[in-house]
Amino acid sequence: MSLNPKVDGIRSPRVSQAVKLRPATPDDLELLQFWDRQPQVIAAKGDDDWQWKTELARHTDWREQLIAEVGGRPIGFVEIIDPSCEESQYWGCIDEGHRAIDIWIGERDALGRGYGTQMMKQAIARCFADPSVKAILVDPLDCNDRAHRFYERLGFEYVAGRCFGDDRCIVYRLSRPGSPAANA
Ligand SMILES: CC(C)(COP(=O)(O)OP(=O)(O)OC[C@H]1O[C@@H](n2cnc3c(N)ncnc32)[C@H](O)[C@@H]1OP(=O)(O)O)[C@@H](O)C(=O)NCCC(=O)NCCS
């Protein structure tokens, strides 16, 4: 029996290599701008200008901007914020003890191969490594059914539909494992 998928022709699209998250730097500017033009990214976040040039050069204590790499190749982006401190107050009035995550894969050939799941699991672990964090929020667009399924598989629970500016979104929440809210 051969175990070589190339020989057998049964290469699984879901077999994936390990993903590493590293801090984004100003050197990632062109990459992030390129990803902003990819259809799956536009479909998920519209054409909002994230002011990469300014933001990549700026360090704050309420945000982590991370590049996901597979075998040294950058494939996607994750941002983790503390929504109670974030300057634009995007999430409105919110208690301390939350984190909010944005995620996208910019390289189209890296979609649907399990990398997003790895990225999210690592981002979740980073959030809950801080013992004061009780829950993580995400806000996919109302129409992004695949992202809803993605978050639900990771354990996120529907909270409510909500408009952020002109965007109709669904808010999902993941409570700290073992907390009363998670066991409810
Ligand atoms: C959402 C996303 C990060 C998931 O990463 P991924 O590596 O593609 O996903 P995985 O292989 O780990 O898991 C597969 C699941 O991801 C989701 N997914 C896959 N491709 C997707 C796409 N183009 N758009 C949205 N979700 C997608 C689906 O739930 C899929 O499961 P399904 O095949 O049953 O529909 C990635 O698909 C992506 O960047 N999509 C575009 C941007 C986006 O929607 N970001 C979330 C906005 S809040």
Side-chain angles (χ1 to χ4, degrees):
M1 182 178 74
S2 167
L3 293 176
N4 182 338
K6 283 187 185 162
V7 172
D8 294 335
I10 45 172
R11 194 200 309 248
S12 162
R14 299 199 65 85
V15 171
S16 56
Q17 294 175 252
V19 170
K20 279 194 179 162
L21 298 182
R22 61 146 175 93
T25 75
D27 290 343
D28 297 307
L29 175 63
E30 282 182 20
L31 187 64
L32 286 158
Q33 290 173 333
F34 168 71
W35 290 344
D36 274 355
R37 297 193 294 274
Q38 302 310 300
Q40 76 278 11
V41 177
I42 293 172
K45 77 175 189 67
D47 53 7
D48 292 354
D49 182 355
W50 278 45
Q51 304 284 332
W52 293 119
K53 196 168 181 184
T54 309
E55 297 303 324
L56 289 171
R58 198 163 78 95
H59 295 278
T60 71
D61 55 7
W62 50 262
R63 175 179 72 188
E64 283 189 284
Q65 294 189 313
L66 303 162
I67 299 287
E69 290 187 345
V70 173
R73 176 196 182 209
I75 59 152
F77 175 78
V78 184
E79 180 174 270
I80 302 172
I81 64 161
D82 176 341
S84 68
C85 300
E86 185 269 325
E87 288 156 6
S88 76
Q89 290 291 285
Y90 174 87
W91 284 88
C93 182
I94 185 164
D95 293 349
E96 290 177 5
H98 291 88
R99 293 290 180 270
I101 298 180
D102 277 303
I103 179 171
W104 57 85
I105 291 179
E107 300 297 332
R108 293 178 71 180
D109 65 358
L111 286 164
R113 300 172 68 95
Y115 296 133
T117 300
Q118 285 193 52
M119 289 161 68
M120 229 18 228
K121 285 185 174 173
Q122 291 182 32
I124 290 167
R126 283 175 108 97
C127 294
F128 286 137
D130 179 338
S132 71
V133 174
K134 55 189 180 195
I136 301 170
L137 302 169
V138 293
D139 63 335
L141 288 175
D142 177 78
C143 58
N144 195 347
D145 295 338
R146 298 192 72 184
H148 303 168
R149 281 206 297 277
F150 172 73
Y151 291 129
E152 285 164 12
R153 265 198 298 268
L154 283 156
F156 283 80
E157 293 181 335
Y158 175 94
V159 177
R162 179 168 165 187
C163 287
F164 290 94
D166 293 336
D167 294 332
R168 291 167 58 87
C169 298
I170 305 284
V171 175
Y172 283 91
R173 175 186 163 108
L174 180 70
S175 298
R176 172 180 286 280
S179 66
N183 299 330

